[in-house]
Each structure stands twice: as C-alpha cells, then as structure tokens.
Coordinates of all heavy atoms in Angstrom, one line a residue:
T110 N 0.4 9.2 2.2 CA 0.1 7.9 2.8 C 1.6 7.3 3.0 O 2.6 7.9 2.7 CB -0.4 7.2 1.5 OG1 0.5 7.0 0.6 CG2 -1.7 7.7 1.0
I111 N 1.5 6.2 3.7 CA 2.8 5.5 4.1 C 3.6 5.2 3.0 O 4.8 5.2 3.0 CB 2.4 4.4 5.0 CG1 3.6 3.8 5.7 CG2 1.7 3.2 4.2 CD1 4.1 4.7 6.8
L112 N 3.1 4.9 1.8 CA 3.9 4.4 0.6 C 4.6 5.7 0.1 O 5.8 5.5 -0.3 CB 2.9 3.9 -0.5 CG 2.0 2.7 -0.1 CD1 1.1 2.3 -1.3 CD2 3.0 1.5 0.3
Q113 N 4.1 6.8 0.2 CA 4.8 8.0 -0.2 C 5.8 8.4 0.7 O 7.0 8.8 0.3 CB 3.8 9.3 -0.3 CG 2.7 9.2 -1.4 CD 1.7 10.1 -1.3 OE1 1.4 10.5 -0.3 NE2 1.1 10.5 -2.5
V114 N 5.7 8.0 2.0 CA 6.8 8.3 3.0 C 7.9 7.4 2.7 O 9.1 7.8 2.8 CB 6.3 8.1 4.5 CG1 7.4 8.2 5.4 CG2 5.2 9.1 4.8
Y115 N 7.6 6.2 2.4 CA 8.8 5.1 2.0 C 9.5 5.7 0.9 O 10.8 5.7 1.0 CB 8.2 3.8 1.6 CG 7.4 3.0 2.7 CD1 6.5 2.0 2.3 CD2 7.6 3.3 4.1 CE1 5.9 1.2 3.3 CE2 7.0 2.5 5.0 CZ 6.1 1.5 4.6 OH 5.4 0.8 5.5
D116 N 8.9 6.1 -0.1 CA 9.5 6.6 -1.4 C 10.4 7.8 -1.0 O 11.6 7.9 -1.4 CB 8.5 6.9 -2.4 CG 7.8 5.6 -3.1 OD1 8.5 4.6 -2.9 OD2 6.9 5.8 -3.6
M117 N 9.9 8.7 -0.2 CA 10.7 10.0 0.2 C 11.9 9.5 1.0 O 12.9 10.1 0.7 CB 9.7 10.9 0.9 CG 10.4 12.1 1.3 SD 9.6 13.0 2.6 CE 9.8 11.9 4.1
L118 N 11.8 8.6 2.0 CA 12.9 8.4 2.8 C 14.1 7.7 1.9 O 15.3 7.9 2.1 CB 12.5 7.5 4.0 CG 11.6 8.1 5.0 CD1 11.1 6.9 6.0 CD2 12.3 9.1 5.7
I119 N 13.6 6.8 1.1 CA 14.6 6.0 0.2 C 15.2 7.2 -0.7 O 16.6 7.1 -0.9 CB 14.0 5.0 -0.6 CG1 13.6 3.9 0.4 CG2 14.8 4.3 -1.5 CD1 12.7 2.8 -0.2
A120 N 14.5 7.9 -1.3 CA 15.0 8.9 -2.3 C 16.0 9.8 -1.7 O 17.0 10.3 -2.2 CB 13.9 9.7 -3.0
K121 N 15.7 10.3 -0.4 CA 16.6 11.3 0.3 C 17.7 10.7 1.1 O 18.5 11.3 1.6 CB 15.7 12.1 1.2 CG 14.8 13.1 0.6 CD 14.0 14.0 1.5 CE 13.1 14.8 0.8 NZ 12.6 15.8 1.7
E122 N 17.9 9.2 0.9 CA 18.8 8.5 1.5 C 18.9 8.8 3.1 O 20.0 8.8 3.6 CB 20.2 8.8 0.9 CG 20.2 8.5 -0.5 CD 21.5 8.7 -1.3 OE1 22.5 9.2 -0.6 OE2 21.7 8.4 -2.5
L123 N 17.8 8.8 3.7 CA 17.7 9.0 5.2 C 17.7 7.7 5.9 O 17.6 7.7 7.1 CB 16.4 9.9 5.6 CG 16.4 11.4 4.8 CD1 15.1 11.8 5.3 CD2 17.5 12.2 5.5
I124 N 17.8 6.7 5.1 CA 17.7 5.3 5.8 C 18.8 4.4 5.2 O 19.4 4.8 4.2 CB 16.3 4.6 5.5 CG1 16.0 4.6 4.0 CG2 15.2 5.4 6.2 CD1 14.8 4.0 3.7
T125 N 19.2 3.4 5.9 CA 20.2 2.6 5.6 C 19.8 1.7 4.4 O 18.7 1.5 4.2 CB 20.7 1.7 6.8 OG1 19.7 0.8 7.2 CG2 21.2 2.6 8.0
V126 N 20.8 0.9 3.9 CA 20.6 0.0 2.8 C 19.7 -1.2 3.3 O 18.6 -1.5 2.6 CB 21.8 -0.6 2.1 CG1 21.6 -1.8 1.2 CG2 22.5 0.5 1.5
A127 N 20.0 -1.7 4.5 CA 19.3 -2.8 5.0 C 17.8 -2.4 5.3 O 16.8 -3.1 5.0 CB 19.9 -3.4 6.3
E128 N 17.7 -1.3 5.8 CA 16.4 -0.7 6.1 C 15.6 -0.4 4.8 O 14.4 -0.7 4.8 CB 16.4 0.6 7.0 CG 15.2 1.0 7.6 CD 15.4 2.3 8.4 OE1 16.5 2.8 8.5 OE2 14.5 2.7 9.1
S129 N 16.3 0.0 3.8 CA 15.8 0.4 2.5 C 15.1 -1.0 1.9 O 14.0 -0.9 1.4 CB 16.7 0.9 1.6 OG 16.2 1.1 0.3
I130 N 15.8 -1.9 2.0 CA 15.4 -3.3 1.5 C 14.1 -3.8 2.2 O 13.1 -4.3 1.6 CB 16.5 -4.4 1.5 CG1 17.6 -3.9 0.5 CG2 16.0 -5.8 1.3 CD1 18.8 -4.7 0.8
M131 N 14.2 -3.7 3.5 CA 13.1 -4.1 4.4 C 11.8 -3.2 4.1 O 10.7 -3.8 3.9 CB 13.3 -4.1 5.9 CG 14.4 -5.2 6.2 SD 14.8 -5.2 7.9 CE 13.3 -5.8 8.5
L132 N 12.0 -2.0 4.0 CA 10.9 -1.0 3.7 C 10.4 -1.2 2.3 O 9.2 -1.1 2.1 CB 11.3 0.4 3.9 CG 11.5 0.9 5.5 CD1 12.0 2.3 5.4 CD2 10.1 0.8 6.0
E133 N 11.2 -1.5 1.3 CA 10.7 -1.8 0.0 C 9.9 -3.1 0.0 O 8.8 -3.2 -0.7 CB 11.9 -1.9 -0.9 CG 11.6 -1.9 -2.4 CD 11.0 -0.6 -2.9 OE1 11.4 0.5 -2.5 OE2 10.0 -0.6 -3.7
K134 N 10.3 -4.0 0.8 CA 9.4 -5.3 0.9 C 8.2 -5.1 1.5 O 7.1 -5.5 1.1 CB 10.3 -6.5 1.6 CG 11.4 -7.0 0.6 CD 12.1 -8.2 1.4 CE 13.1 -8.7 0.3 NZ 13.3 -10.0 0.5
A135 N 8.3 -4.3 2.6 CA 6.9 -3.7 3.2 C 6.1 -3.1 2.4 O 4.9 -3.2 2.5 CB 7.3 -3.0 4.6
K136 N 6.7 -2.2 1.6 CA 5.9 -1.4 0.7 C 5.1 -2.3 -0.3 O 4.0 -2.1 -0.5 CB 6.7 -0.4 0.0 CG 6.0 0.5 -1.1 CD 6.9 1.4 -1.8 CE 6.3 1.9 -3.0 NZ 7.3 2.6 -4.0
D137 N 5.9 -3.3 -0.9 CA 5.2 -4.2 -1.9 C 4.2 -4.9 -1.2 O 3.0 -5.2 -1.8 CB 6.4 -5.1 -2.4 CG 7.4 -4.4 -3.3 OD1 7.1 -3.3 -3.7 OD2 8.5 -5.0 -3.5
F138 N 4.4 -5.4 0.1 CA 3.5 -6.1 0.7 C 2.1 -5.3 0.9 O 1.1 -5.7 0.7 CB 4.0 -6.7 2.1 CG 3.0 -7.4 2.9 CD1 2.7 -8.6 2.7 CD2 2.5 -6.7 4.1 CE1 1.8 -9.3 3.5 CE2 1.5 -7.5 4.9 CZ 1.2 -8.8 4.6
A139 N 2.4 -4.0 1.4 CA 1.2 -3.1 1.6 C 0.5 -3.0 0.3 O -0.8 -2.9 0.4 CB 1.7 -1.8 2.2
V140 N 1.1 -2.7 -0.8 CA 0.5 -2.6 -2.0 C -0.4 -3.8 -2.3 O -1.6 -3.7 -2.8 CB 1.4 -2.3 -3.2 CG1 0.7 -2.3 -4.6 CG2 2.1 -0.9 -3.1
N141 N 0.2 -5.0 -2.2 CA -0.6 -6.3 -2.5 C -1.8 -6.4 -1.5 O -2.8 -6.9 -2.0 CB 0.4 -7.5 -2.2 CG 1.4 -7.6 -3.3 OD1 1.2 -7.1 -4.5 ND2 2.5 -8.2 -3.1
I142 N -1.7 -6.1 -0.3 CA -2.7 -6.0 0.7 C -3.8 -5.1 0.2 O -5.0 -5.5 0.3 CB -2.2 -5.8 2.1 CG1 -1.4 -6.9 2.7 CG2 -3.5 -5.5 3.1 CD1 -2.1 -8.2 2.8
V143 N -3.5 -4.0 -0.1 CA -4.5 -3.0 -0.6 C -5.3 -3.4 -1.8 O -6.5 -3.4 -1.9 CB -3.8 -1.5 -0.8 CG1 -4.8 -0.7 -1.5 CG2 -3.5 -1.0 0.5
N144 N -4.5 -4.0 -2.7 CA -5.1 -4.5 -4.0 C -6.0 -5.7 -3.7 O -7.1 -5.8 -4.3 CB -4.0 -4.9 -4.9 CG -3.5 -3.7 -5.6 OD1 -3.9 -2.6 -5.6 ND2 -2.2 -3.9 -6.0
L145 N -5.5 -6.6 -2.8 CA -6.4 -7.8 -2.4 C -7.7 -7.3 -1.7 O -8.7 -7.8 -2.0 CB -5.7 -8.6 -1.4 CG -6.4 -9.8 -0.8 CD1 -6.8 -10.7 -1.8 CD2 -5.5 -10.4 0.2
C146 N -7.7 -6.2 -0.9 CA -8.8 -5.7 -0.1 C -9.7 -5.2 -1.0 O -10.9 -5.2 -1.0 CB -8.4 -4.9 1.0 SG -7.6 -5.8 2.3
K147 N -9.2 -4.4 -2.1 CA -10.1 -3.8 -3.0 C -10.9 -4.8 -3.8 O -12.1 -4.7 -4.0 CB -9.2 -2.9 -4.0 CG -8.8 -1.6 -3.6 CD -8.0 -0.8 -4.7 CE -7.5 0.5 -4.2 NZ -6.8 1.1 -5.3
Y148 N -10.2 -5.9 -4.2 CA -10.9 -6.9 -5.0 C -11.9 -7.6 -4.1 O -13.1 -7.9 -4.5 CB -9.8 -8.1 -5.3 CG -10.4 -9.3 -5.8 CD1 -10.9 -9.3 -7.1 CD2 -10.5 -10.4 -5.2 CE1 -11.5 -10.5 -7.7 CE2 -11.0 -11.6 -5.6 CZ -11.5 -11.6 -6.9 OH -12.1 -12.7 -7.4
I149 N -11.5 -7.9 -2.8 CA -12.5 -8.5 -1.9 C -13.8 -7.6 -1.7 O -15.0 -8.2 -1.7 CB -12.0 -8.9 -0.6 CG1 -11.0 -10.0 -0.7 CG2 -12.9 -9.2 0.5 CD1 -10.1 -10.3 0.4
K150 N -13.5 -6.3 -1.5 CA -14.7 -5.4 -1.3 C -15.5 -5.3 -2.6 O -16.7 -5.1 -2.4 CB -14.1 -3.9 -1.0 CG -13.7 -3.9 0.3 CD -13.3 -2.4 0.7 CE -12.7 -2.3 2.2 NZ -12.6 -0.9 2.5
E151 N -14.9 -5.4 -3.7 CA -15.7 -5.4 -5.0 C -16.5 -6.6 -5.2 O -17.6 -6.5 -5.7 CB -14.8 -5.1 -6.1 CG -14.3 -3.6 -6.1 CD -13.1 -3.5 -7.3 OE1 -12.8 -4.5 -7.9 OE2 -12.6 -2.3 -7.3
T152 N -16.0 -7.7 -4.9 CA -16.6 -9.0 -5.3 C -17.4 -9.6 -4.2 O -18.4 -10.2 -4.4 CB -15.6 -10.0 -5.8 OG1 -14.6 -10.3 -4.7 CG2 -14.7 -9.6 -7.0
K153 N -16.9 -9.5 -2.9 CA -17.6 -10.1 -1.8 C -18.4 -9.2 -0.9 O -19.1 -9.5 -0.1 CB -16.6 -10.9 -1.0 CG -15.7 -11.9 -1.6 CD -16.6 -13.1 -2.2 CE -15.6 -14.0 -2.9 NZ -16.3 -15.0 -3.6
K154 N -18.1 -7.9 -1.2 CA -18.9 -6.8 -0.4 C -18.6 -6.9 1.0 O -19.4 -6.5 1.9 CB -20.4 -6.9 -0.6 CG -20.8 -6.9 -2.1 CD -20.5 -5.7 -2.7 CE -21.0 -5.7 -4.2 NZ -20.2 -4.8 -5.0
E155 N -17.4 -7.3 1.4 CA -17.0 -7.4 2.8 C -16.1 -6.2 3.1 O -15.2 -5.8 2.4 CB -16.1 -8.6 3.0 CG -15.3 -8.7 4.3 CD -16.2 -8.7 5.6 OE1 -17.2 -9.2 5.6 OE2 -16.0 -7.9 6.4
S156 N -16.4 -5.5 4.2 CA -15.7 -4.2 4.6 C -15.1 -4.4 6.0 O -13.9 -3.7 6.1 CB -16.6 -3.0 4.4 OG -17.6 -3.1 5.3
V157 N -15.7 -4.9 6.9 CA -15.2 -5.0 8.3 C -13.7 -5.6 8.3 O -12.7 -5.0 8.8 CB -16.1 -5.6 9.3 CG1 -15.5 -5.6 10.7 CG2 -17.4 -4.8 9.3
L158 N -13.6 -6.8 7.7 CA -12.4 -7.6 7.9 C -11.3 -7.0 7.0 O -10.2 -6.9 7.4 CB -12.6 -9.1 7.5 CG -13.3 -9.8 8.7 CD1 -13.6 -11.2 8.1 CD2 -12.6 -9.9 10.0
T159 N -11.7 -6.6 5.8 CA -10.8 -5.9 4.8 C -10.3 -4.6 5.3 O -9.1 -4.4 5.1 CB -11.4 -5.7 3.4 OG1 -12.6 -4.9 3.5 CG2 -11.7 -7.0 2.7
N160 N -11.0 -3.8 6.0 CA -10.5 -2.5 6.7 C -9.5 -2.8 7.7 O -8.4 -2.2 7.7 CB -11.7 -1.8 7.3 CG -12.6 -1.2 6.2 OD1 -12.2 -1.1 5.1 ND2 -13.7 -0.8 6.6
Q161 N -9.6 -3.9 8.5 CA -8.7 -4.3 9.5 C -7.4 -4.9 8.9 O -6.3 -4.6 9.3 CB -9.3 -5.3 10.5 CG -8.3 -5.8 11.5 CD -7.8 -4.6 12.4 OE1 -8.6 -3.8 12.8 NE2 -6.4 -4.7 12.6
L162 N -7.5 -5.7 7.7 CA -6.4 -6.1 7.0 C -5.7 -4.9 6.4 O -4.4 -5.1 6.5 CB -7.0 -7.1 6.0 CG -5.9 -7.8 5.1 CD1 -4.9 -8.5 6.0 CD2 -6.5 -8.7 4.1
I163 N -6.3 -4.0 6.0 CA -5.6 -2.8 5.4 C -4.7 -2.2 6.6 O -3.5 -1.8 6.3 CB -6.6 -1.8 4.7 CG1 -7.0 -2.4 3.4 CG2 -5.9 -0.6 4.4 CD1 -8.1 -1.6 2.7
R164 N -5.4 -1.9 7.6 CA -4.6 -1.2 8.7 C -3.4 -2.1 9.2 O -2.4 -1.5 9.4 CB -5.6 -1.0 9.9 CG -6.6 0.0 9.7 CD -7.3 0.4 11.0 NE -8.0 -0.6 11.5 CZ -9.3 -0.9 11.3 NH1 -9.9 -0.1 10.3 NH2 -9.9 -1.9 11.8
S165 N -3.6 -3.4 9.4 CA -2.5 -4.2 9.8 C -1.4 -4.5 8.7 O -0.3 -4.3 9.0 CB -3.0 -5.5 10.4 OG -3.7 -6.2 9.4
G166 N -1.9 -4.6 7.6 CA -0.9 -4.9 6.5 C -0.1 -3.7 6.1 O 1.0 -3.8 5.6
T167 N -0.6 -2.5 6.3 CA 0.2 -1.3 5.9 C 1.0 -0.7 7.1 O 1.7 0.2 7.0 CB -0.8 -0.2 5.4 OG1 -1.8 0.1 6.3 CG2 -1.4 -0.6 4.0
S168 N 0.8 -1.3 8.2 CA 1.6 -0.9 9.4 C 2.9 -1.6 9.5 O 3.7 -1.0 10.3 CB 0.8 -1.1 10.8 OG 0.7 -2.5 11.0
V169 N 3.1 -2.4 8.7 CA 4.5 -3.2 8.8 C 5.6 -2.4 8.6 O 6.6 -2.3 9.4 CB 4.5 -4.4 7.7 CG1 5.8 -5.0 7.8 CG2 3.3 -5.3 8.1
G170 N 5.7 -1.4 7.7 CA 6.6 -0.5 7.4 C 6.9 0.4 8.6 O 8.1 0.7 8.9
A171 N 5.9 0.9 9.2 CA 6.0 1.9 10.4 C 6.6 1.0 11.6 O 7.5 1.6 12.2 CB 4.6 2.3 10.8
N172 N 6.4 -0.1 11.6 CA 7.0 -1.1 12.7 C 8.5 -1.3 12.4 O 9.3 -1.3 13.3 CB 6.2 -2.4 12.8 CG 4.9 -2.2 13.4 OD1 4.6 -1.2 14.0 ND2 4.0 -3.1 13.1
I173 N 8.7 -1.5 11.2 CA 10.2 -1.7 10.8 C 11.1 -0.4 11.1 O 12.0 -0.4 11.7 CB 10.4 -2.0 9.3 CG1 9.7 -3.5 9.1 CG2 11.7 -1.9 8.8 CD1 9.7 -3.7 7.5
R174 N 10.5 0.7 10.7 CA 11.1 2.1 11.0 C 11.3 2.3 12.5 O 12.4 2.7 12.9 CB 10.3 3.1 10.4 CG 11.0 4.4 10.4 CD 12.3 4.5 9.7 NE 12.9 5.8 9.8 CZ 14.3 5.9 10.1 NH1 15.0 4.9 10.3 NH2 14.8 7.1 10.4
E175 N 10.3 2.0 13.3 CA 10.4 2.2 14.6 C 11.5 1.2 15.3 O 12.2 1.7 16.1 CB 9.0 1.9 15.3 CG 9.0 2.2 16.7 CD 7.6 1.9 17.4 OE1 6.6 1.9 16.6 OE2 7.6 1.8 18.7
A176 N 11.6 0.1 14.8 CA 12.6 -0.9 15.3 C 13.9 -0.4 15.0 O 14.9 -0.4 15.8 CB 12.3 -2.2 14.7
F177 N 14.2 0.1 13.7 CA 15.5 0.7 13.4 C 15.9 1.9 14.2 O 16.9 2.1 14.6 CB 15.6 1.0 11.9 CG 16.0 -0.2 11.1 CD1 15.0 -0.9 10.5 CD2 17.4 -0.4 10.9 CE1 15.5 -2.1 9.7 CE2 17.7 -1.6 10.1 CZ 16.7 -2.4 9.5
Y178 N 14.8 2.8 14.4 CA 15.1 3.9 15.2 C 15.5 3.6 16.6 O 16.4 4.2 17.1 CB 13.7 4.7 15.3 CG 13.9 6.0 16.1 CD1 14.7 7.1 15.7 CD2 13.4 6.1 17.4 CE1 14.9 8.3 16.4 CE2 13.6 7.3 18.2 CZ 14.3 8.3 17.6 OH 14.4 9.5 18.4
A179 N 14.8 2.6 17.2 CA 15.1 2.1 18.6 C 16.5 1.6 18.6 O 17.3 1.8 19.6 CB 14.1 1.1 19.1
M180 N 17.1 0.8 17.6 CA 18.3 0.2 17.6 C 19.4 1.2 17.4 O 20.4 1.2 18.0 CB 18.4 -0.8 16.4 CG 17.6 -2.0 16.7 SD 17.6 -3.2 15.3 CE 19.2 -3.1 14.5
E181 N 19.1 2.4 16.8 CA 20.1 3.5 16.6 C 20.3 4.3 17.9 O 21.4 4.9 18.2 CB 19.5 4.5 15.5 CG 19.5 4.0 14.2 CD 18.8 4.9 13.3 OE1 18.3 6.0 13.7 OE2 18.6 4.6 11.9
N182 N 19.3 4.2 18.8 CA 19.4 5.0 20.0 C 19.9 4.2 21.2 O 20.2 3.2 21.4 CB 18.1 5.7 20.4 CG 17.7 6.8 19.6 OD1 18.6 7.5 19.0 ND2 16.6 6.9 19.3

C-alpha cells in the first residue's frame, strides 16, 4: 500500500527531510481518511462517496512525491 511505501522511503533515507515531513503529514491524513471512511461505511452504509474519498485522500502522498521528483530534474 502507499503507507508502506512512505515508511520504506523514509527508513531508507531516499527522501529529503522536507519531503519526509510532508509525506509523514500526508500519511497521517491518509490514515485519518481511511478510518473516517470505514466509520461511514459501517454506520451510514455509504460506499460510492467514501470510495472516492479514499482514492483522493490517499493520493496526496503520491502527488507530493511527484512534485519533488519534478523539482529535482
């Protein structure tokens, strides 16, 4: 999963400190989004909107990484 990728990159020091901070915040955000969506699915039985929220909420880290990569080149 994307959360495992964040942890691996940080552990192997393949990313900068600034990027690490941003990715850590993005990871925390993604975890919160996933937990919120689980709660909504269990209590409100909503899946269409929560599935989209999971996709968009967990893509933040990938967008950050892509931006840092573009700045390096």
Side-chain angles (χ1 to χ4, degrees):
T110 68
I111 193 70
L112 301 177
Q113 292 168 329
V114 172
Y115 295 159
D116 290 338
M117 180 195 68
L118 291 172
I119 291 169
K121 291 187 176 184
E122 297 180 359
L123 297 175
I124 54 179
T125 66
V126 172
E128 190 176 8
S129 172
I130 292 168
M131 291 180 72
L132 285 174
E133 193 64 37
K134 288 184 180 213
K136 176 184 168 186
D137 292 342
F138 178 75
V140 169
N141 288 336
I142 290 292
V143 169
N144 289 335
L145 173 64
C146 289
K147 281 182 185 178
Y148 171 76
I149 292 171
K150 283 184 178 183
E151 290 171 358
T152 60
K153 305 295 182 190
K154 307 298 183 208
E155 170 54 48
S156 63
V157 176
L158 292 176
T159 54
N160 288 342
Q161 179 58 42
L162 183 57
I163 288 173
R164 284 193 299 275
S165 59
T167 56
S168 69
V169 175
N172 293 337
I173 292 170
R174 183 66 184 130
E175 186 177 338
F177 273 96
Y178 179 75
M180 288 173 37
E181 291 172 356
N182 292 329

